[in-house]
Amino acid sequence: VVVYIVPLYLVSACSCSPKEWSFMYSVVIHIYNISTMNIAELSNIREAVPPLPYGGTEYVISAVTEGLAQKGHDVSLFATGDSKTKGNLEYVCEKSIGFGKISEENADMLLKKHLDFFLSKANSFDLIHNHILETFAHSSTNRPPKVTTLHTELTRPNEQRILQTPEAQKTFFVSISDNQRKSLPNLPYIQTIYHGIPVQEYPFRDIAGEYFVFLGRITPEKGVELAVEVAKQTGRKLIIAAKVDEP
């Protein structure tokens, strides 16, 4: 995160608000005062990191965590016990709880334990990279510097309610596309940073296949119906490898 965000701050520093200047200054001071950073990556407990079945967000969190660890940073991943990382794995939940496997009441209780555990250690880090919105429904800390990557479309009422609370204004947000910002344009965004992938795991093949592939979730914002329409118009076979979205 720091590797990508900080240079963008320096380029756009002239347009920073006082709050943005404060955040930028604190992060830059950390970078120039120490050769490596002590970074916390905060994930949910619904899926392991990396995910065992399906979990796009958790896959990205894993890629970021392992990339930072590989660069020599001291990274702590707050996730579930069935997660894997070359960094430090911190957890209170032995296994990911998934969706619908336990009651929502029990899920909320376990999530609270997860967040309380994280908050008990939060002040020991140089930087917090948050990936879950539920953080803002709990007491938090202004120090150390904290940035939240938004992984969803931000159109659900509960998401919008959480993100407009005073607690959410204490952090900065990274959007994963400029289009994502349209639902909540007034959040304190710092940059748009597109999700990356370990390119070595996806070798390029210059010979085209005979079919199209849709990979994702069966949910309105993913546009599977557009893939179907394109396949119909072109007469190509379409393979859909997807997860049905939760209610």
Side-chain angles (χ1 to χ4, degrees):
V1 177
V2 177
V3 173
Y4 291 102
I5 294 176
V6 171
L8 293 171
Y9 276 152
L10 298 178
V11 169
S12 59
C14 59
S15 62
C16 286
S17 68
K19 184 180 178 184
E20 290 171 325
W21 268 111
S22 175
F23 180 85
M24 179 183 72
Y25 177 79
S26 60
V27 172
V28 171
I29 288 300
H30 280 306
I31 291 174
Y32 283 96
N33 283 349
I34 54 179
S35 58
T36 60
M37 296 186 71
N38 188 7
I39 303 172
E41 295 286 340
L42 177 59
S43 182
N44 211 317
I45 57 173
R46 294 286 186 178
E47 304 290 353
V49 179
L52 301 176
Y54 174 93
T57 296
E58 290 75 21
Y59 181 81
V60 171
I61 295 172
S62 178
V64 171
T65 301
E66 302 313 293
L68 290 170
Q70 189 174 17
K71 288 182 175 294
H73 295 290
D74 187 4
V75 187
S76 293
L77 172 63
F78 287 81
T80 54
D82 50 352
S83 299
K84 295 181 180 179
T85 177
K86 294 178 181 177
N88 309 306
L89 180 59
E90 301 275 4
Y91 64 93
V92 291
C93 295
E94 293 286 343
K95 294 183 178 181
S96 53
I97 63 174
F99 292 89
K101 295 180 180 178
I102 62 175
S103 69
E104 284 303 303
E105 181 179 357
N106 286 336
D108 289 342
M109 179 187 67
L110 290 174
L111 178 60
K112 185 178 186 304
K113 287 184 177 180
H114 175 64
L115 293 175
D116 287 344
F117 174 66
F118 162 74
L119 290 171
S120 71
K121 298 191 173 188
N123 288 332
S124 64
F125 296 99
D126 299 317
L127 178 68
I128 295 171
H129 187 188
N130 174 44
H131 297 273
I132 57 176
L133 301 186
E134 289 86 352
T135 308
F136 305 123
H138 294 69
S139 60
S140 187
T141 176
N142 294 332
R143 296 290 177 181
K146 179 170 60 178
V147 63
T148 297
T149 294
L150 298 169
H151 294 276
T152 62
E153 62 277 4
L154 309 182
T155 57
R156 297 169 182 169
N158 188 51
E159 292 175 340
Q160 296 196 348
R161 178 186 60 79
I162 291 175
L163 288 171
Q164 295 181 79
T165 60
E167 192 65 36
Q169 303 305 311
K170 297 179 182 179
T171 187
F172 286 93
F173 293 97
V174 170
S175 50
I176 58 175
S177 73
D178 291 338
N179 185 68
Q180 182 191 36
R181 298 188 182 194
K182 293 179 180 179
S183 299
L184 291 173
N186 296 321
L187 287 180
Y189 297 103
I190 48 174
Q191 291 294 335
T192 289
I193 301 178
Y194 298 102
H195 282 162
I197 60 171
V199 292
Q200 67 276 9
E201 296 183 10
Y202 300 90
F204 174 72
R205 188 178 70 171
D206 58 1
I207 302 175
E210 299 179 352
Y211 54 86
F212 295 146
V213 175
F214 175 90
L215 177 64
R217 286 181 290 133
I218 303 297
T219 186
E221 64 270 12
K222 296 297 184 179
V224 65
E225 75 282 1
L226 299 177
V228 172
E229 186 60 31
V230 169
K232 287 181 177 179
Q233 292 185 15
T234 58
R236 303 290 289 273
K237 180 181 179 181
L238 173 64
I239 296 177
I240 299 177
K243 170 190 176 185
V244 178
D245 201 12
E246 300 82 22

